[in-house]
Amino acid sequence: MKRVILGLEKLLTNPKKYLRGSTLGLVINQTSLTACGQPSIGKFLNIKSFKPAALFAPEHGIYGIDQDMVLVADETDPLSGLLVRSLYGSNTSSLTPSPSLLNGVDNLVFDIQDVGSRYYTFIYTLANCMKTCAESGTRMVVCDRPNPINGITVEGNLVGEEFLSFVGQYPIPNRHGMTVGELAKLFNECFEINCDLKVVPMEGWERSMWYDQTGLPWVSPSPNMPTLSTATVFPGACLVEGTLLSEGRGTTIPFEQIGAPYIDAETLAKTANEEKLPGLFFRPQYFKPQFQKWSGKVCGGVQIHITDRNKIKPLVTSIVLLYSVRKLYPDNFSWRTETYEFVSDRLAIDLLYGNPTLREGIDSDNLSIKSLESSWDEDIKIFSLQRNECLIY
């Protein structure tokens, strides 16, 4: 297998081609590694012409330790001795670095693995850093990495203006089919951040590739993204966070299984399999989460088994599951109502889906999955025009 050469490796080989001045800040986590598993911060410390001056950590922290929506505190990095500033604190203002934190920083380098779904907050940490760079005059440098679930498939609707949030800060589909470098161009050009942006491209990556075809080691980008299979279902399975169903957090296969104590696993599996969805089947499953929703309770539900990842429609798949549970257990199924990603005045499911249409359709008990999927066509056309202008590969 021919290995993809990462943007990070190209930057380290020829830093003066992409960097200016003499100082840099790093937005990194545990995924910021060379192909042989060497942490990038150690490599940057060895570059004589550029000095790391600031470190920033996204959600889950610089080592990916903290669970979702858990405040990440500032800390000291043991390798460099530098203070790590958190970009995921206790309020929305913490999500964007202050321009004062970039005083004396000539370049801000972003090198974090994305998973290809619009809900994943790392890409909005990137966008917010770009905004700060535009204000401070700092160069934004993005080291590109593969979209792990391929760079071709696009699925879903755009986020409505009233439902923009840190799980959907820009109008992009649930599955966008772009690399983080391409998204940076989209944010900068189409959504007019207008910072001094340099994307360090990969070599050898093809849009049809899945992560296990790149020759690169998989490092979990966050605590509940352990495998490529998790990332494959995530563009739909993340919607389960908008309900009181367990999305499998607290188990070894988060997002690949959903359930609740009131569900009969065999009945749900039979109902969902009747839809004959492409590229998968649902297996009756019982599991006991060790933390978060239904912690310590035996949940009945299903596990999603992927049979053809090039045919699976993760968003449709999870909508079918939500609708099936709602039809089978109307007195038990409920939506999540507490504050979600710093938003308290709109429901989590509406933020995740991007508008109230899905919730209203499921609550009406008269949802047409085919009609809902067809309603995404116009949004995908709009997005595709913007996307095509920003593709690198």
Side-chain angles (χ1 to χ4, degrees), residues 60-217:
H60 310 296
I62 198 168
Y63 297 112
I65 294 171
D66 296 305
Q67 288 292 325
D68 64 304
M69 291 186 284
V70 171
L71 179 153
V72 175
D74 291 350
E75 58 182 320
T76 300
D77 171 58
L79 185 58
S80 66
L82 291 171
L83 178 65
V84 183
R85 298 284 188 176
S86 169
L87 297 181
Y88 196 86
S90 58
N91 51 51
T92 53
S93 65
S94 71
L95 305 177
T96 303
S98 166
S100 64
L101 296 179
L102 296 183
N103 287 342
V105 176
D106 299 317
N107 313 272
L108 186 59
V109 178
F110 181 96
D111 182 46
I112 292 177
Q113 179 63 55
D114 184 39
V115 300
S117 299
R118 79 153 175 246
Y119 329 104
Y120 219 52
T121 62
F122 297 160
I123 60 176
Y124 306 120
T125 294
L126 166 61
N128 291 343
C129 287
M130 291 171 63
K131 290 178 181 178
T132 301
C133 284
E135 186 175 348
S136 66
T138 304
R139 171 169 289 178
M140 186 82 216
V141 181
V142 179
C143 298
D144 214 0
R145 289 180 174 267
N147 184 321
I149 56 175
N150 84 49
I152 296 175
T153 310
V154 176
E155 183 187 19
N157 58 291
L158 303 183
V159 182
E161 181 69 29
E162 296 179 2
F163 295 92
L164 298 175
S165 73
F166 204 51
V167 288
Q169 194 163 295
Y170 293 100
I172 61 177
N174 308 63
R175 183 176 181 181
H176 49 69
M178 301 180 78
T179 69
V180 69
E182 292 171 339
L183 284 169
K185 290 186 62 180
L186 181 76
F187 298 156
N188 208 44
E189 298 168 15
C190 294
F191 301 136
E192 300 181 342
I193 293 179
N194 297 322
C195 69
D196 176 12
L197 174 67
K198 290 286 185 182
V199 176
V200 188
M202 297 175 282
E203 288 184 12
W205 186 74
E206 298 175 5
R207 304 208 73 84
S208 62
M209 283 181 170
W210 292 73
Y211 199 87
D212 56 11
Q213 297 170 322
T214 64
L216 299 169

Side-chain angles (χ1 to χ4, degrees), residues 194-250:
N194 297 322
C195 69
D196 176 12
L197 174 67
K198 290 286 185 182
V199 176
V200 188
M202 297 175 282
E203 288 184 12
W205 186 74
E206 298 175 5
R207 304 208 73 84
S208 62
M209 283 181 170
W210 292 73
Y211 199 87
D212 56 11
Q213 297 170 322
T214 64
L216 299 169
W218 175 266
V219 177
S220 299
S222 57
N224 290 285
M225 193 61 60
T227 68
L228 178 56
S229 294
T230 320
T232 303
V233 301
F234 188 72
C238 188
L239 292 179
V240 183
E241 290 187 10
T243 74
L244 294 189
L245 296 168
S246 169
E247 62 272 13
R249 292 183 188 272

Side-chain angles (χ1 to χ4, degrees), residues 30 76 137 156 168 196 224 239 249 289 304 313-314 323 334 344 386:
Q30 73 285 353
T76 300
D196 176 12
N224 290 285
L239 292 179
R249 292 183 188 272
I304 302 169
K313 298 179 179 181
Y323 192 42
S334 56
S344 59
Q386 297 173 324

